[in-house]
Amino acid sequence: MKVFVRCFLSTILICLFNNLFAQVTLPSIQGKVLAENGLSAEGSTIVLLKFKDSSIVSSTVSGKNGEFRFAGIQPDTYLLFVSTVGYDKSYTGPYSIAPGQNFIATDIILKPSATILKEVSIVSNRPDIEVK
């Protein structure tokens, strides 16, 4: 009888603590931002947006090699908004992320902005009243 009780208690304890080892990994999105010439776009701002309402979920800055990562996000559909100085803003996606999935986005290539000044005009007026 003692052996049966010990085996029963051991089985119950094993069943109770067996679930503690199961870990749920949250999804992540990672990718790379490149300039049009193929070089990495260091310091680009990447914003993670929900696809349904474009609300901001998270944001990050790309590293030296242009790579970025959003870890620990909830399964949903997302857009990526990328901006950096001297380049046009870019939207990519939508990306559908499943539970436990580590999604690698395609390389985001930024195009240079075409803002060119044509001329500069300096206009000056002489004051009408002179003080002597």
Side-chain angles (χ1 to χ4, degrees), residues 62-97:
S62 63
K64 285 193 175 200
N65 53 1
E67 293 183 355
F68 65 91
R69 180 180 171 93
F70 293 102
I73 58 174
Q74 296 298 321
D76 205 348
T77 304
Y78 296 101
L79 291 172
L80 290 174
F81 171 70
V82 182
S83 66
T84 191
V85 176
Y87 292 91
D88 290 336
K89 297 174 182 174
S90 174
Y91 285 95
T92 60
Y95 302 116
S96 295
I97 309 301

PDB file of all heavy atoms in Angstrom, residues 62-97:
ATOM      1  N   SER A  62      17.842  51.281 -36.903  1.00  0.00           N
ATOM      2  CA  SER A  62      18.686  50.246 -37.499  1.00  0.00           C
ATOM      3  C   SER A  62      20.132  50.396 -37.028  1.00  0.00           C
ATOM      4  O   SER A  62      20.612  51.491 -36.768  1.00  0.00           O
ATOM      5  CB  SER A  62      18.604  50.301 -39.023  1.00  0.00           C
ATOM      6  OG  SER A  62      19.093  51.527 -39.501  1.00  0.00           O
ATOM      7  N   GLY A  63      20.824  49.277 -36.951  1.00  0.00           N
ATOM      8  CA  GLY A  63      22.208  49.256 -36.490  1.00  0.00           C
ATOM      9  C   GLY A  63      23.185  49.615 -37.598  1.00  0.00           C
ATOM     10  O   GLY A  63      22.805  50.066 -38.674  1.00  0.00           O
ATOM     11  N   LYS A  64      24.467  49.379 -37.335  1.00  0.00           N
ATOM     12  CA  LYS A  64      25.517  49.743 -38.288  1.00  0.00           C
ATOM     13  C   LYS A  64      25.367  49.032 -39.624  1.00  0.00           C
ATOM     14  O   LYS A  64      25.684  49.587 -40.664  1.00  0.00           O
ATOM     15  CB  LYS A  64      26.897  49.447 -37.706  1.00  0.00           C
ATOM     16  CG  LYS A  64      27.322  50.424 -36.661  1.00  0.00           C
ATOM     17  CD  LYS A  64      28.774  50.275 -36.360  1.00  0.00           C
ATOM     18  CE  LYS A  64      29.173  51.368 -35.387  1.00  0.00           C
ATOM     19  NZ  LYS A  64      30.589  51.608 -35.380  1.00  0.00           N
ATOM     20  N   ASN A  65      24.914  47.796 -39.608  1.00  0.00           N
ATOM     21  CA  ASN A  65      24.750  47.065 -40.859  1.00  0.00           C
ATOM     22  C   ASN A  65      23.322  47.158 -41.406  1.00  0.00           C
ATOM     23  O   ASN A  65      22.958  46.415 -42.310  1.00  0.00           O
ATOM     24  CB  ASN A  65      25.170  45.604 -40.687  1.00  0.00           C
ATOM     25  CG  ASN A  65      24.464  44.945 -39.527  1.00  0.00           C
ATOM     26  OD1 ASN A  65      23.651  45.561 -38.851  1.00  0.00           O
ATOM     27  ND2 ASN A  65      24.781  43.706 -39.280  1.00  0.00           N
ATOM     28  N   GLY A  66      22.515  48.049 -40.858  1.00  0.00           N
ATOM     29  CA  GLY A  66      21.154  48.276 -41.344  1.00  0.00           C
ATOM     30  C   GLY A  66      20.124  47.306 -40.821  1.00  0.00           C
ATOM     31  O   GLY A  66      18.963  47.360 -41.214  1.00  0.00           O
ATOM     32  N   GLU A  67      20.501  46.415 -39.927  1.00  0.00           N
ATOM     33  CA  GLU A  67      19.567  45.404 -39.426  1.00  0.00           C
ATOM     34  C   GLU A  67      18.726  45.944 -38.274  1.00  0.00           C
ATOM     35  O   GLU A  67      19.166  46.779 -37.501  1.00  0.00           O
ATOM     36  CB  GLU A  67      20.332  44.167 -38.976  1.00  0.00           C
ATOM     37  CG  GLU A  67      20.985  43.437 -40.124  1.00  0.00           C
ATOM     38  CD  GLU A  67      21.692  42.165 -39.693  1.00  0.00           C
ATOM     39  OE1 GLU A  67      21.755  41.890 -38.471  1.00  0.00           O
ATOM     40  OE2 GLU A  67      22.170  41.452 -40.576  1.00  0.00           O
ATOM     41  N   PHE A  68      17.504  45.440 -38.193  1.00  0.00           N
ATOM     42  CA  PHE A  68      16.581  45.795 -37.109  1.00  0.00           C
ATOM     43  C   PHE A  68      15.846  44.552 -36.660  1.00  0.00           C
ATOM     44  O   PHE A  68      15.820  43.545 -37.376  1.00  0.00           O
ATOM     45  CB  PHE A  68      15.586  46.874 -37.563  1.00  0.00           C
ATOM     46  CG  PHE A  68      14.654  46.419 -38.643  1.00  0.00           C
ATOM     47  CD1 PHE A  68      13.424  45.842 -38.341  1.00  0.00           C
ATOM     48  CD2 PHE A  68      15.000  46.553 -39.981  1.00  0.00           C
ATOM     49  CE1 PHE A  68      12.563  45.421 -39.338  1.00  0.00           C
ATOM     50  CE2 PHE A  68      14.146  46.142 -40.980  1.00  0.00           C
ATOM     51  CZ  PHE A  68      12.928  45.570 -40.665  1.00  0.00           C
ATOM     52  N   ARG A  69      15.236  44.615 -35.471  1.00  0.00           N
ATOM     53  CA  ARG A  69      14.483  43.473 -34.931  1.00  0.00           C
ATOM     54  C   ARG A  69      13.428  43.978 -33.952  1.00  0.00           C
ATOM     55  O   ARG A  69      13.715  44.804 -33.092  1.00  0.00           O
ATOM     56  CB  ARG A  69      15.437  42.519 -34.235  1.00  0.00           C
ATOM     57  CG  ARG A  69      14.766  41.298 -33.638  1.00  0.00           C
ATOM     58  CD  ARG A  69      15.816  40.415 -32.970  1.00  0.00           C
ATOM     59  NE  ARG A  69      15.208  39.351 -32.223  1.00  0.00           N
ATOM     60  CZ  ARG A  69      14.960  38.140 -32.699  1.00  0.00           C
ATOM     61  NH1 ARG A  69      15.291  37.860 -33.934  1.00  0.00           N
ATOM     62  NH2 ARG A  69      14.390  37.222 -31.952  1.00  0.00           N
ATOM     63  N   PHE A  70      12.225  43.462 -34.104  1.00  0.00           N
ATOM     64  CA  PHE A  70      11.136  43.676 -33.150  1.00  0.00           C
ATOM     65  C   PHE A  70      10.846  42.332 -32.508  1.00  0.00           C
ATOM     66  O   PHE A  70      10.329  41.429 -33.163  1.00  0.00           O
ATOM     67  CB  PHE A  70       9.875  44.198 -33.846  1.00  0.00           C
ATOM     68  CG  PHE A  70      10.018  45.572 -34.420  1.00  0.00           C
ATOM     69  CD1 PHE A  70      10.215  45.758 -35.779  1.00  0.00           C
ATOM     70  CD2 PHE A  70       9.955  46.688 -33.616  1.00  0.00           C
ATOM     71  CE1 PHE A  70      10.348  47.016 -36.315  1.00  0.00           C
ATOM     72  CE2 PHE A  70      10.084  47.962 -34.139  1.00  0.00           C
ATOM     73  CZ  PHE A  70      10.281  48.121 -35.496  1.00  0.00           C
ATOM     74  N   ALA A  71      11.159  42.173 -31.248  1.00  0.00           N
ATOM     75  CA  ALA A  71      10.961  40.899 -30.551  1.00  0.00           C
ATOM     76  C   ALA A  71       9.798  41.019 -29.573  1.00  0.00           C
ATOM     77  O   ALA A  71       9.502  42.094 -29.066  1.00  0.00           O
ATOM     78  CB  ALA A  71      12.233  40.508 -29.811  1.00  0.00           C
ATOM     79  N   GLY A  72       9.169  39.904 -29.315  1.00  0.00           N
ATOM     80  CA  GLY A  72       8.103  39.845 -28.318  1.00  0.00           C
ATOM     81  C   GLY A  72       6.826  40.542 -28.731  1.00  0.00           C
ATOM     82  O   GLY A  72       6.157  41.142 -27.894  1.00  0.00           O
ATOM     83  N   ILE A  73       6.461  40.478 -30.003  1.00  0.00           N
ATOM     84  CA  ILE A  73       5.222  41.104 -30.465  1.00  0.00           C
ATOM     85  C   ILE A  73       4.099  40.075 -30.472  1.00  0.00           C
ATOM     86  O   ILE A  73       4.348  38.875 -30.468  1.00  0.00           O
ATOM     87  CB  ILE A  73       5.398  41.732 -31.864  1.00  0.00           C
ATOM     88  CG1 ILE A  73       5.832  40.671 -32.868  1.00  0.00           C
ATOM     89  CG2 ILE A  73       6.389  42.872 -31.818  1.00  0.00           C
ATOM     90  CD1 ILE A  73       5.890  41.169 -34.291  1.00  0.00           C
ATOM     91  N   GLN A  74       2.892  40.552 -30.479  1.00  0.00           N
ATOM     92  CA  GLN A  74       1.725  39.673 -30.491  1.00  0.00           C
ATOM     93  C   GLN A  74       1.424  39.227 -31.921  1.00  0.00           C
ATOM     94  O   GLN A  74       1.661  39.972 -32.874  1.00  0.00           O
ATOM     95  CB  GLN A  74       0.508  40.400 -29.914  1.00  0.00           C
ATOM     96  CG  GLN A  74       0.657  40.783 -28.457  1.00  0.00           C
ATOM     97  CD  GLN A  74       0.825  39.583 -27.559  1.00  0.00           C
ATOM     98  OE1 GLN A  74       0.192  38.558 -27.740  1.00  0.00           O
ATOM     99  NE2 GLN A  74       1.718  39.704 -26.578  1.00  0.00           N
ATOM    100  N   PRO A  75       0.899  38.027 -32.110  1.00  0.00           N
ATOM    101  CA  PRO A  75       0.520  37.579 -33.459  1.00  0.00           C
ATOM    102  C   PRO A  75      -0.565  38.493 -34.037  1.00  0.00           C
ATOM    103  O   PRO A  75      -1.587  38.720 -33.396  1.00  0.00           O
ATOM    104  CB  PRO A  75      -0.020  36.170 -33.245  1.00  0.00           C
ATOM    105  CG  PRO A  75       0.532  35.737 -31.923  1.00  0.00           C
ATOM    106  CD  PRO A  75       0.705  36.976 -31.112  1.00  0.00           C
ATOM    107  N   ASP A  76      -0.323  39.046 -35.207  1.00  0.00           N
ATOM    108  CA  ASP A  76      -1.248  39.975 -35.848  1.00  0.00           C
ATOM    109  C   ASP A  76      -0.719  40.279 -37.244  1.00  0.00           C
ATOM    110  O   ASP A  76       0.258  39.681 -37.690  1.00  0.00           O
ATOM    111  CB  ASP A  76      -1.376  41.258 -35.025  1.00  0.00           C
ATOM    112  CG  ASP A  76      -2.701  41.981 -35.267  1.00  0.00           C
ATOM    113  OD1 ASP A  76      -3.420  41.621 -36.219  1.00  0.00           O
ATOM    114  OD2 ASP A  76      -3.015  42.904 -34.488  1.00  0.00           O
ATOM    115  N   THR A  77      -1.316  41.238 -37.918  1.00  0.00           N
ATOM    116  CA  THR A  77      -0.849  41.693 -39.219  1.00  0.00           C
ATOM    117  C   THR A  77      -0.254  43.090 -39.054  1.00  0.00           C
ATOM    118  O   THR A  77      -0.889  43.964 -38.468  1.00  0.00           O
ATOM    119  CB  THR A  77      -2.010  41.718 -40.233  1.00  0.00           C
ATOM    120  OG1 THR A  77      -2.597  40.410 -40.267  1.00  0.00           O
ATOM    121  CG2 THR A  77      -1.511  42.069 -41.617  1.00  0.00           C
ATOM    122  N   TYR A  78       0.957  43.297 -39.576  1.00  0.00           N
ATOM    123  CA  TYR A  78       1.706  44.526 -39.336  1.00  0.00           C
ATOM    124  C   TYR A  78       2.210  45.166 -40.623  1.00  0.00           C
ATOM    125  O   TYR A  78       2.353  44.500 -41.655  1.00  0.00           O
ATOM    126  CB  TYR A  78       2.919  44.238 -38.440  1.00  0.00           C
ATOM    127  CG  TYR A  78       2.564  43.772 -37.056  1.00  0.00           C
ATOM    128  CD1 TYR A  78       2.625  42.430 -36.714  1.00  0.00           C
ATOM    129  CD2 TYR A  78       2.159  44.670 -36.088  1.00  0.00           C
ATOM    130  CE1 TYR A  78       2.302  42.004 -35.444  1.00  0.00           C
ATOM    131  CE2 TYR A  78       1.828  44.256 -34.813  1.00  0.00           C
ATOM    132  CZ  TYR A  78       1.904  42.924 -34.500  1.00  0.00           C
ATOM    133  OH  TYR A  78       1.580  42.501 -33.234  1.00  0.00           O
ATOM    134  N   LEU A  79       2.498  46.460 -40.533  1.00  0.00           N
ATOM    135  CA  LEU A  79       3.181  47.233 -41.570  1.00  0.00           C
ATOM    136  C   LEU A  79       4.480  47.755 -40.977  1.00  0.00           C
ATOM    137  O   LEU A  79       4.578  47.954 -39.766  1.00  0.00           O
ATOM    138  CB  LEU A  79       2.343  48.449 -41.994  1.00  0.00           C
ATOM    139  CG  LEU A  79       1.057  48.223 -42.761  1.00  0.00           C
ATOM    140  CD1 LEU A  79       0.295  49.539 -42.890  1.00  0.00           C
ATOM    141  CD2 LEU A  79       1.346  47.674 -44.126  1.00  0.00           C
ATOM    142  N   LEU A  80       5.468  48.023 -41.839  1.00  0.00           N
ATOM    143  CA  LEU A  80       6.703  48.662 -41.405  1.00  0.00           C
ATOM    144  C   LEU A  80       6.821  50.008 -42.099  1.00  0.00           C
ATOM    145  O   LEU A  80       6.658  50.104 -43.313  1.00  0.00           O
ATOM    146  CB  LEU A  80       7.919  47.801 -41.766  1.00  0.00           C
ATOM    147  CG  LEU A  80       8.076  46.504 -40.988  1.00  0.00           C
ATOM    148  CD1 LEU A  80       9.237  45.697 -41.554  1.00  0.00           C
ATOM    149  CD2 LEU A  80       8.293  46.768 -39.524  1.00  0.00           C
ATOM    150  N   PHE A  81       7.092  51.056 -41.318  1.00  0.00           N
ATOM    151  CA  PHE A  81       7.312  52.403 -41.834  1.00  0.00           C
ATOM    152  C   PHE A  81       8.771  52.754 -41.588  1.00  0.00           C
ATOM    153  O   PHE A  81       9.241  52.688 -40.454  1.00  0.00           O
ATOM    154  CB  PHE A  81       6.388  53.397 -41.128  1.00  0.00           C
ATOM    155  CG  PHE A  81       6.684  54.827 -41.436  1.00  0.00           C
ATOM    156  CD1 PHE A  81       6.427  55.351 -42.686  1.00  0.00           C
ATOM    157  CD2 PHE A  81       7.240  55.653 -40.479  1.00  0.00           C
ATOM    158  CE1 PHE A  81       6.701  56.674 -42.971  1.00  0.00           C
ATOM    159  CE2 PHE A  81       7.524  56.980 -40.747  1.00  0.00           C
ATOM    160  CZ  PHE A  81       7.252  57.489 -42.005  1.00  0.00           C
ATOM    161  N   VAL A  82       9.496  53.098 -42.663  1.00  0.00           N
ATOM    162  CA  VAL A  82      10.926  53.373 -42.559  1.00  0.00           C
ATOM    163  C   VAL A  82      11.199  54.791 -43.031  1.00  0.00           C
ATOM    164  O   VAL A  82      10.710  55.209 -44.082  1.00  0.00           O
ATOM    165  CB  VAL A  82      11.740  52.375 -43.408  1.00  0.00           C
ATOM    166  CG1 VAL A  82      13.224  52.629 -43.259  1.00  0.00           C
ATOM    167  CG2 VAL A  82      11.405  50.952 -43.029  1.00  0.00           C
ATOM    168  N   SER A  83      11.989  55.531 -42.238  1.00  0.00           N
ATOM    169  CA  SER A  83      12.377  56.882 -42.648  1.00  0.00           C
ATOM    170  C   SER A  83      13.805  57.150 -42.204  1.00  0.00           C
ATOM    171  O   SER A  83      14.263  56.632 -41.188  1.00  0.00           O
ATOM    172  CB  SER A  83      11.435  57.928 -42.053  1.00  0.00           C
ATOM    173  OG  SER A  83      11.575  57.966 -40.653  1.00  0.00           O
ATOM    174  N   THR A  84      14.493  57.955 -42.991  1.00  0.00           N
ATOM    175  CA  THR A  84      15.838  58.401 -42.663  1.00  0.00           C
ATOM    176  C   THR A  84      16.107  59.697 -43.406  1.00  0.00           C
ATOM    177  O   THR A  84      15.446  60.006 -44.397  1.00  0.00           O
ATOM    178  CB  THR A  84      16.901  57.327 -42.992  1.00  0.00           C
ATOM    179  OG1 THR A  84      18.140  57.697 -42.423  1.00  0.00           O
ATOM    180  CG2 THR A  84      17.048  57.128 -44.474  1.00  0.00           C
ATOM    181  N   VAL A  85      17.057  60.473 -42.935  1.00  0.00           N
ATOM    182  CA  VAL A  85      17.358  61.775 -43.506  1.00  0.00           C
ATOM    183  C   VAL A  85      17.935  61.600 -44.916  1.00  0.00           C
ATOM    184  O   VAL A  85      18.818  60.778 -45.142  1.00  0.00           O
ATOM    185  CB  VAL A  85      18.360  62.535 -42.606  1.00  0.00           C
ATOM    186  CG1 VAL A  85      18.758  63.855 -43.241  1.00  0.00           C
ATOM    187  CG2 VAL A  85      17.773  62.753 -41.234  1.00  0.00           C
ATOM    188  N   GLY A  86      17.407  62.367 -45.869  1.00  0.00           N
ATOM    189  CA  GLY A  86      17.906  62.337 -47.234  1.00  0.00           C
ATOM    190  C   GLY A  86      17.266  61.293 -48.120  1.00  0.00           C
ATOM    191  O   GLY A  86      17.628  61.169 -49.282  1.00  0.00           O
ATOM    192  N   TYR A  87      16.309  60.519 -47.581  1.00  0.00           N
ATOM    193  CA  TYR A  87      15.647  59.466 -48.356  1.00  0.00           C
ATOM    194  C   TYR A  87      14.139  59.584 -48.208  1.00  0.00           C
ATOM    195  O   TYR A  87      13.633  60.101 -47.208  1.00  0.00           O
ATOM    196  CB  TYR A  87      16.103  58.078 -47.886  1.00  0.00           C
ATOM    197  CG  TYR A  87      17.541  57.786 -48.212  1.00  0.00           C
ATOM    198  CD1 TYR A  87      18.549  58.091 -47.307  1.00  0.00           C
ATOM    199  CD2 TYR A  87      17.900  57.227 -49.426  1.00  0.00           C
ATOM    200  CE1 TYR A  87      19.875  57.843 -47.592  1.00  0.00           C
ATOM    201  CE2 TYR A  87      19.223  56.970 -49.727  1.00  0.00           C
ATOM    202  CZ  TYR A  87      20.207  57.273 -48.813  1.00  0.00           C
ATOM    203  OH  TYR A  87      21.513  57.029 -49.109  1.00  0.00           O
ATOM    204  N   ASP A  88      13.405  59.090 -49.215  1.00  0.00           N
ATOM    205  CA  ASP A  88      11.947  59.095 -49.153  1.00  0.00           C
ATOM    206  C   ASP A  88      11.470  58.105 -48.093  1.00  0.00           C
ATOM    207  O   ASP A  88      12.110  57.082 -47.841  1.00  0.00           O
ATOM    208  CB  ASP A  88      11.356  58.696 -50.510  1.00  0.00           C
ATOM    209  CG  ASP A  88      11.561  59.761 -51.580  1.00  0.00           C
ATOM    210  OD1 ASP A  88      11.725  60.936 -51.213  1.00  0.00           O
ATOM    211  OD2 ASP A  88      11.561  59.401 -52.768  1.00  0.00           O
ATOM    212  N   LYS A  89      10.330  58.413 -47.495  1.00  0.00           N
ATOM    213  CA  LYS A  89       9.725  57.509 -46.515  1.00  0.00           C
ATOM    214  C   LYS A  89       9.169  56.297 -47.241  1.00  0.00           C
ATOM    215  O   LYS A  89       8.736  56.381 -48.380  1.00  0.00           O
ATOM    216  CB  LYS A  89       8.630  58.232 -45.748  1.00  0.00           C
ATOM    217  CG  LYS A  89       9.160  59.396 -44.955  1.00  0.00           C
ATOM    218  CD  LYS A  89       8.066  60.193 -44.323  1.00  0.00           C
ATOM    219  CE  LYS A  89       8.676  61.378 -43.593  1.00  0.00           C
ATOM    220  NZ  LYS A  89       7.683  62.280 -43.064  1.00  0.00           N
ATOM    221  N   SER A  90       9.159  55.150 -46.558  1.00  0.00           N
ATOM    222  CA  SER A  90       8.759  53.908 -47.203  1.00  0.00           C
ATOM    223  C   SER A  90       7.859  53.090 -46.283  1.00  0.00           C
ATOM    224  O   SER A  90       8.129  52.972 -45.086  1.00  0.00           O
ATOM    225  CB  SER A  90      10.013  53.102 -47.556  1.00  0.00           C
ATOM    226  OG  SER A  90       9.672  51.841 -48.049  1.00  0.00           O
ATOM    227  N   TYR A  91       6.798  52.533 -46.845  1.00  0.00           N
ATOM    228  CA  TYR A  91       5.916  51.588 -46.151  1.00  0.00           C
ATOM    229  C   TYR A  91       6.109  50.220 -46.794  1.00  0.00           C
ATOM    230  O   TYR A  91       6.144  50.109 -48.017  1.00  0.00           O
ATOM    231  CB  TYR A  91       4.446  51.986 -46.288  1.00  0.00           C
ATOM    232  CG  TYR A  91       4.039  53.158 -45.436  1.00  0.00           C
ATOM    233  CD1 TYR A  91       4.033  54.448 -45.952  1.00  0.00           C
ATOM    234  CD2 TYR A  91       3.644  52.981 -44.122  1.00  0.00           C
ATOM    235  CE1 TYR A  91       3.647  55.529 -45.183  1.00  0.00           C
ATOM    236  CE2 TYR A  91       3.256  54.056 -43.335  1.00  0.00           C
ATOM    237  CZ  TYR A  91       3.256  55.317 -43.873  1.00  0.00           C
ATOM    238  OH  TYR A  91       2.886  56.381 -43.110  1.00  0.00           O
ATOM    239  N   THR A  92       6.223  49.179 -45.979  1.00  0.00           N
ATOM    240  CA  THR A  92       6.286  47.816 -46.502  1.00  0.00           C
ATOM    241  C   THR A  92       5.314  46.945 -45.726  1.00  0.00           C
ATOM    242  O   THR A  92       5.009  47.204 -44.578  1.00  0.00           O
ATOM    243  CB  THR A  92       7.704  47.220 -46.374  1.00  0.00           C
ATOM    244  OG1 THR A  92       8.072  47.195 -45.004  1.00  0.00           O
ATOM    245  CG2 THR A  92       8.713  48.013 -47.167  1.00  0.00           C
ATOM    246  N   GLY A  93       4.863  45.899 -46.372  1.00  0.00           N
ATOM    247  CA  GLY A  93       3.930  44.976 -45.738  1.00  0.00           C
ATOM    248  C   GLY A  93       2.656  44.905 -46.530  1.00  0.00           C
ATOM    249  O   GLY A  93       2.619  45.380 -47.658  1.00  0.00           O
ATOM    250  N   PRO A  94       1.637  44.333 -46.041  1.00  0.00           N
ATOM    251  CA  PRO A  94       1.414  43.807 -44.684  1.00  0.00           C
ATOM    252  C   PRO A  94       2.075  42.448 -44.481  1.00  0.00           C
ATOM    253  O   PRO A  94       2.218  41.665 -45.410  1.00  0.00           O
ATOM    254  CB  PRO A  94      -0.098  43.692 -44.587  1.00  0.00           C
ATOM    255  CG  PRO A  94      -0.565  43.506 -45.987  1.00  0.00           C
ATOM    256  CD  PRO A  94       0.419  44.232 -46.855  1.00  0.00           C
ATOM    257  N   TYR A  95       2.486  42.213 -43.249  1.00  0.00           N
ATOM    258  CA  TYR A  95       3.095  40.960 -42.842  1.00  0.00           C
ATOM    259  C   TYR A  95       2.189  40.307 -41.803  1.00  0.00           C
ATOM    260  O   TYR A  95       1.933  40.882 -40.763  1.00  0.00           O
ATOM    261  CB  TYR A  95       4.480  41.189 -42.233  1.00  0.00           C
ATOM    262  CG  TYR A  95       5.450  41.897 -43.158  1.00  0.00           C
ATOM    263  CD1 TYR A  95       5.948  43.145 -42.837  1.00  0.00           C
ATOM    264  CD2 TYR A  95       5.857  41.312 -44.348  1.00  0.00           C
ATOM    265  CE1 TYR A  95       6.837  43.789 -43.677  1.00  0.00           C
ATOM    266  CE2 TYR A  95       6.741  41.951 -45.196  1.00  0.00           C
ATOM    267  CZ  TYR A  95       7.230  43.185 -44.855  1.00  0.00           C
ATOM    268  OH  TYR A  95       8.109  43.826 -45.694  1.00  0.00           O
ATOM    269  N   SER A  96       1.733  39.078 -42.079  1.00  0.00           N
ATOM    270  CA  SER A  96       0.915  38.321 -41.126  1.00  0.00           C
ATOM    271  C   SER A  96       1.835  37.458 -40.285  1.00  0.00           C
ATOM    272  O   SER A  96       2.549  36.602 -40.819  1.00  0.00           O
ATOM    273  CB  SER A  96      -0.099  37.452 -41.858  1.00  0.00           C
ATOM    274  OG  SER A  96      -1.018  38.267 -42.539  1.00  0.00           O
ATOM    275  N   ILE A  97       1.817  37.683 -38.989  1.00  0.00           N
ATOM    276  CA  ILE A  97       2.706  36.976 -38.068  1.00  0.00           C
ATOM    277  C   ILE A  97       1.890  35.972 -37.269  1.00  0.00           C
ATOM    278  O   ILE A  97       0.902  36.320 -36.629  1.00  0.00           O
ATOM    279  CB  ILE A  97       3.406  37.963 -37.111  1.00  0.00           C
ATOM    280  CG1 ILE A  97       4.055  39.108 -37.891  1.00  0.00           C
ATOM    281  CG2 ILE A  97       4.411  37.250 -36.242  1.00  0.00           C
ATOM    282  CD1 ILE A  97       5.082  38.695 -38.896  1.00  0.00           C
TER     283      ILE A  97
END
